[in-house]
Amino acid sequence: MKAIKYTALALALGSSSALAADCEAPAQPEMPDGSTATMEQMLAGQKAVKAFQVANLEYMKCLEPALTAAEAAAKAGEEGAIEKYQAAQDSYNAAVSAEEAVAGEFNTEIREYKAANPS
């Protein structure tokens, strides 16, 4: 199930390359399996999630000028601008969703780790 979720998000994020050629969505981190991971593996997972969040924030900042330009063009009534604006908005929203999904998945792994390693 994890692979399906990540594949869908990767496809959604990959569509943004046409909107902002210089913007590249960060790769999502590989999650530790909380039910079997060591503390060191969980800490490495946490570090990878934090790095992803920083990179994803930079990616979203990179998308913002294209989003703003597409919105202005749509408001000006330029041909095809509404579709470009929607695509830019979809890419930005996909980045937000990716960050939420990664954080949610890591939180699930933390709960599994705590269940497998009671204090």
Side-chain angles (χ1 to χ4, degrees):
M1 180 147 142
K2 290 179 191 177
I4 293 170
K5 187 182 339 177
Y6 290 149
T7 301
L9 287 170
L11 289 173
L13 289 173
S15 67
S16 65
S17 61
L19 298 169
D22 296 335
C23 303
E24 187 172 330
Q28 293 183 356
E30 193 167 318
M31 295 291 161
D33 180 349
S35 64
T36 61
T38 65
M39 174 62 82
E40 291 78 20
Q41 290 169 323
M42 292 302 293
L43 291 173
Q46 179 184 39
K47 184 177 179 181
V49 167
K50 287 181 179 184
F52 170 78
Q53 289 172 326
V54 168
N56 198 48
L57 182 60
E58 289 299 315
Y59 170 66
M60 291 181 343
K61 284 180 185 178
C62 182
L63 291 176
E64 286 175 2
L67 182 61
T68 302
E71 181 180 22
K75 286 180 180 178
E78 293 180 22
E79 188 173 330
I82 292 173
E83 292 80 11
K84 288 180 183 177
Y85 175 64
Q86 186 61 52
Q89 200 171 39
D90 289 347
S91 294
Y92 190 89
N93 291 342
V96 172
S97 294
E99 188 164 341
E100 291 170 351
V102 167
E105 182 65 29
F106 188 66
N107 287 335
T108 297
E109 298 305 332
I110 289 172
R111 285 190 295 278
E112 289 181 12
Y113 176 81
K114 287 181 178 181
N117 299 281
S119 298

